[in-house]
Amino acid sequence: MKLDIVITSDRTMITNHHGKEFLGFVATGPPVGVPERLWMWICAPKPKVDRWGRPLEAPYGLRKIEAALVNAGFNAAIIDPDHLGPHLKHAKVLMIGHHDYFAMASPSIEWWLMTGSEPVNRRSFLRLMRRPEIREAKKRGLKIIAGGPAAWQWLWNLDYWREFGIDTVVDGEAEKVVVELAAKALNGEELPLYVYVGPEDVPSIEEIPEIKGASVNGLVEIMRGCPRGCKFCPVTLRPLRYYPLDKIERELRVNANAGLDRCILHSEDVLIYGARGLEPNPNALLKLHALAKKYCKTLAWSHATLAEVKYAQEKYKLITKLTELIYDEHQQYLGVQIGLETGSVNLAKKIMPAKAAPYPIEMWPQVVEDAMAIMHEHRIVPALTLILGLPEETEDDLAQTAELLDRLKDYRSLIVPMFFVPLGVLRDRGWFLREHLKEGHVEIMRRCLWHSLRWAEDIVSTFYLKGARYAPLRWTLKLFLAYVKRRAREVEKWLEEAGWEGVKRAEAKSAVLQPVPRPCRT
Amino acid sequence: MSELVIELKGDENAEKVEEAVRSKPSARRLVIRIAANDGVSSIERVRSFLVNNISRTVIVYVEGERDEA
């Protein structure tokens, strides 16, 4: 098999995370308490590949690029990073994508700033690009095009851009532009150094290609965009497009034909699939889930919003109806990632005024608590994220967030604080660096940690890694959680003894990690 | 779609791009051609514009020698 275009990424991306999507988050951290090889085994085992090194499951975004190129008649395929050598002897173009090339996104940057140790996603990517087979192919004239949701990071890593010989960086929905770039690269035409795909060049629903190979853990898109307009979010800048059910079904079938019996419905908010504005469409949602269950024994939602959970249940009893449809002998819970962002009404008004809609933003803390109660009752297990270090954040904002966390302690969930990364409308703002950390931030991080540790043990044993098959992984994670608890108690004791002034003195002595220059205006 | 081609010579940088965009605000696609022999480093001249841009397609070419890997 001689390919003209090879598509790949590093091991933290080309993996199915043992069939447990959430374990992918472990790749955003450095190896803590265990050797790196064991850490990588936990989060990024090698997937099954065919005799040409094509992985059975590949990242959905790379599958879209592959499909766009194949549909346009190019000889292209996704190849596992351990099988690049033979293909790169002949290929003319290498395309790479990543969620977080240089660990600059949350939560990678947070774990790096807190531990002073590089996360494995970055380590793995740098190792990939330094492989001799890529360097040698580059000397022979290979063109390298980098894209994906972390493409923006290359603007802050020019040294690596030069070192790896990246010919073009593409930021944005690339399904249309990648075909033009491939043609230019193969014809020896001039390639642009950088492309940003604006809203008017994104593909329409009809132009979005359908995947030709299985996606990691059966992820399928159901829509693109989000109407809430939160200022920290890049996705909300994209036009809203809903996939029709037949398009979703064709992709579900690709995954089922590859032997996958699970799926992840991907959207910024699954509950607004087919919606009119933010008014849910129960009919569309019920049909969507019935369709998914036709092909999958188990399903998950990638994302939802707290306001929509509350509203959908109050007005339509939709959470009850959907979970009745989803739960059976194969599945008794549902995982989802949700943005909590802040507990402060004042801050919410500034950065996400429509986050609580259709409820007024003044109701935000109550919306959060009500939605958490609904999810707990229905065995929906959210991984919530908070943003620390938002522009214009005050001590009072932090106090309100800490207070809300106390109200959420009895709801099964993980709560992960993230440091602000300038994206979306706020992309011209300053980065949140370690020296910006305040006592209020540390208190929130402490509450999140103990909340998540309490529920993580419950989730791992009761829901997430049940069964003999997952015993080694389950026990490894339990050992890791025990280690984290022990370390957390040591740090708390030190914090109590040293006081906040002691913390700042200690921080001043330690190496302040700045993975990026101070790039933006504050 | 309305396209605007902007050529940067010498020390010209993001300010010239911003000025050009102000003079033709309807342009939805920008093609920036940087005359330089410093390859990837040329990005620094327009980075502040690229980081702030969210509404237009931008294509940057560097005319001259690219850096060797």
Side-chain angles (χ1 to χ4, degrees), chain A residues 404-435:
Chain A
L404 179 59
L405 290 175
D406 267 352
R407 287 161 61 179
L408 302 181
K409 62 182 184 316
D410 290 330
Y411 301 119
R412 183 182 300 108
S413 52
L414 301 178
I415 308 181
V416 183
M418 309 246 193
F419 293 166
F420 172 68
V421 174
L423 290 171
V425 170
L426 297 176
R427 56 198 265 171
D428 64 336
R429 302 300 189 97
W431 287 75
F432 184 70
L433 301 172
R434 202 159 80 181
E435 57 261 37

Side-chain angles (χ1 to χ4, degrees), chain B residues 25-65:
Chain B
S26 60
R28 303 324 303 166
R29 185 182 290 161
L30 308 178
V31 177
I32 302 173
R33 293 194 167 274
I34 306 176
N37 281 329
D38 54 356
V40 173
S41 303
S42 306
I43 285 290
E44 286 181 300
R45 290 162 59 180
V46 291
R47 182 164 54 202
S48 61
F49 175 79
L50 298 178
V51 165
N52 286 313
N53 170 63
I54 54 178
S55 56
R56 295 176 172 85
T57 292
V58 179
I59 305 167
V60 178
Y61 288 93
V62 173
E63 317 216 314
E65 289 295 317

Side-chain angles (χ1 to χ4, degrees), chain A residues 135 138 154-159 161-168 180 184 190-201 237 424-425 427-429 517 519-521, chain B residues 1-2 18 26-29 33-34 38-64 66-69:
Chain A
R135 292 203 184 271
K138 191 65 203 164
W154 290 97
L155 293 175
W156 304 110
N157 287 277
L158 301 189
D159 286 346
W161 193 330
R162 270 188 289 271
E163 180 189 339
F164 304 144
I166 306 298
D167 292 276
T168 305
E180 295 173 34
K184 283 180 186 293
E190 183 190 19
L191 280 171
L193 188 58
Y194 172 85
V195 178
Y196 174 79
V197 182
E200 297 188 35
D201 275 311
L237 303 173
V425 170
R427 56 198 265 171
D428 64 336
R429 302 300 189 97
C520 303
R521 300 189 300 272
Chain B
M1 187 188 303
S2 172
E18 285 155 15
S26 60
R28 303 324 303 166
R29 185 182 290 161
R33 293 194 167 274
I34 306 176
D38 54 356
V40 173
S41 303
S42 306
I43 285 290
E44 286 181 300
R45 290 162 59 180
V46 291
R47 182 164 54 202
S48 61
F49 175 79
L50 298 178
V51 165
N52 286 313
N53 170 63
I54 54 178
S55 56
R56 295 176 172 85
T57 292
V58 179
I59 305 167
V60 178
Y61 288 93
V62 173
E63 317 216 314
R66 288 271 191 113
D67 308 286
E68 289 299 317

Side-chain angles (χ1 to χ4, degrees), chain A residues 11-264:
Chain A
R11 179 58 65 220
T12 61
M13 294 292 297
I14 308 289
T15 175
N16 74 348
H17 317 292
H18 299 282
K20 297 294 180 182
E21 188 75 1
F22 195 74
L23 286 179
F25 275 108
V26 177
T28 65
V32 173
V34 298
E36 184 175 337
R37 282 188 76 170
L38 181 53
W39 192 268
M40 285 291 287
W41 173 77
I42 291 170
C43 62
K46 185 174 170 176
K48 287 184 193 162
V49 298
D50 69 7
R51 63 192 173 104
W52 291 297
R54 294 182 302 187
L56 176 69
E57 296 169 64
Y60 188 77
L62 294 188
R63 284 291 190 210
K64 289 298 200 187
I65 297 302
E66 179 186 57
L69 294 171
V70 169
N71 288 347
F74 292 104
N75 188 7
I78 298 171
I79 298 295
D80 185 274
D82 286 350
H83 297 263
L84 292 174
H87 294 288
L88 290 183
K89 287 192 169 77
H90 310 285
K92 301 181 182 62
V93 185
L94 175 65
M95 294 191 178
I96 50 175
H98 211 286
H99 287 162
D100 195 2
Y101 288 105
F102 302 110
M104 291 173 65
S106 277
S108 312
I109 194 168
E110 182 178 332
W111 311 140
W112 194 356
L113 287 173
M114 283 165 56
T115 64
S117 185
E118 261 180 310
V120 297
N121 50 8
R122 175 187 167 104
R123 297 183 197 201
S124 177
F125 176 68
L126 295 181
R127 276 197 298 264
L128 169 73
M129 295 309 293
R130 288 170 178 151
R131 289 193 184 198
E133 56 266 39
I134 293 183
R135 292 203 184 271
E136 279 153 24
K138 191 65 203 164
K139 284 178 191 161
R140 287 195 297 271
L142 179 79
K143 298 294 183 192
I144 305 182
I145 299 174
W152 59 274
Q153 296 184 10
W154 290 97
L155 293 175
W156 304 110
N157 287 277
L158 301 189
D159 286 346
Y160 289 127
W161 193 330
R162 270 188 289 271
E163 180 189 339
F164 304 144
I166 306 298
D167 292 276
T168 305
V169 168
V170 184
D171 187 359
E173 295 183 38
E175 289 103 331
K176 282 164 66 174
V177 76
V178 75
V179 173
E180 295 173 34
L181 290 172
K184 283 180 186 293
L186 292 176
N187 293 335
E189 293 171 32
E190 183 190 19
L191 280 171
L193 188 58
Y194 172 85
V195 178
Y196 174 79
V197 182
E200 297 188 35
D201 275 311
V202 300
S204 64
I205 277 292
E206 294 74 28
E207 290 171 325
I208 296 174
E210 288 157 27
I211 60 174
K212 301 207 178 301
S215 57
V216 172
N217 294 319
L219 187 142
V220 294
E221 260 184 332
I222 60 175
M223 56 183 283
R224 289 189 184 182
C226 170
R228 290 192 187 267
C230 301
K231 291 184 181 170
F232 48 80
C233 178
V235 176
T236 200
L237 303 173
R238 298 180 198 159
L240 204 54
R241 287 150 286 168
Y242 299 109
Y243 277 45
L245 287 175
D246 60 341
K247 192 175 180 81
I248 297 171
E249 182 165 20
R250 285 192 289 273
E251 293 202 328
L252 287 169
R253 203 177 291 132
V254 167
N255 287 328
N257 288 344
L260 268 66
D261 60 5
R262 58 190 179 279
C263 66
I264 302 171

Side-chain angles (χ1 to χ4, degrees), chain A residues 40 310 323 350 360 378 479:
Chain A
M40 285 291 287
K310 176 177 161 72
T323 50
K350 288 176 190 165
H378 290 85
L479 284 170

